[in-house]
Amino acid sequence: QVQLVESGGGLVQAGGSLRLSCAASVTAFTINDMAWYRQAAGKQRELVAVCTSDSITNYADSVRGRFTISRDNAKNTVYLQMNSLKPEDTAVYFCNAGARDSRTWRTYNYWGQGTQVTVSS
C-alpha cells in the first residue's frame, strides 16, 4: 500500500517562491518515478515535473528553469522548489508516484490529495 501526503502549498505574490513536499508512506512496495502534476480551474491536469528513482528529471516547458524537482529516496519523499512564480502557476498541485508491489511485481499509480498554490499578481 502507498499513501502520498503533500504539504507546502499556499498564497504567494508573483516572483515569490514555494516548496512543495510529498511523503510516500509505503508498505511492501518500491517507489519508482515520482512526479508533480497541476490542474488549474477549468483546465486539464498537466505534468509539471518528473524524477526517476535515479534522480533523472524532466520538466514542462512552462516551468523549466524556474522549478526544481528532487527526491530523497531514503525518505520516499519528493520535493518541488518553485521560484519566480507567476499568476499562471496558480493551480492545485498533485503528487504522483509509480510503485511496484514487492510480492507480485505488479505496478500501480498513486495520487496525493492535492495542495493549492495561488500566485497573486
Side-chain angles (χ1 to χ4, degrees), residues 30 36 39 44 50 54 73 75 90 100 103 105 107 117:
T30 300
W36 288 96
Q39 186 167 18
Q44 289 188 332
V50 60
D54 296 328
N73 288 334
K75 297 180 180 180
T90 295
R100 185 179 69 243
R103 299 156 293 185
W105 285 72
T107 57
V117 171

Side-chain angles (χ1 to χ4, degrees), residues 1-5 22-36 50-55 69-79 95-103 105-112:
Q1 185 71 312
V2 176
Q3 290 185 324
L4 302 177
V5 178
C22 172
S25 176
V26 181
T27 303
F29 276 74
T30 300
I31 300 294
N32 296 324
D33 293 355
M34 300 187 81
W36 288 96
V50 60
C51 185
T52 70
S53 56
D54 296 328
S55 294
I69 189 171
S70 61
R71 63 190 284 175
D72 183 336
N73 288 334
K75 297 180 180 180
N76 283 322
T77 300
V78 64
Y79 306 96
C95 178
N96 173 269
R100 185 179 69 243
D101 187 322
S102 302
R103 299 156 293 185
W105 285 72
R106 294 184 64 180
T107 57
Y108 299 85
N109 199 35
Y110 293 93
W111 292 91

Side-chain angles (χ1 to χ4, degrees), residues 45-120:
R45 191 173 297 188
E46 62 175 358
L47 177 66
V48 175
V50 60
C51 185
T52 70
S53 56
D54 296 328
S55 294
I56 297 171
T57 60
N58 202 6
Y59 299 90
D61 289 342
S62 59
V63 307
R64 186 173 286 114
R66 300 187 297 122
F67 290 11
T68 302
I69 189 171
S70 61
R71 63 190 284 175
D72 183 336
N73 288 334
K75 297 180 180 180
N76 283 322
T77 300
V78 64
Y79 306 96
L80 186 68
Q81 178 66 43
M82 304 185 294
N83 299 328
S84 302
L85 283 161
K86 305 176 181 180
E88 51 264 43
D89 295 318
T90 295
V92 178
Y93 284 70
F94 295 90
C95 178
N96 173 269
R100 185 179 69 243
D101 187 322
S102 302
R103 299 156 293 185
T104 66
W105 285 72
R106 294 184 64 180
T107 57
Y108 299 85
N109 199 35
Y110 293 93
W111 292 91
Q113 80 284 359
T115 184
Q116 177 69 46
V117 171
T118 302
V119 184
S120 63

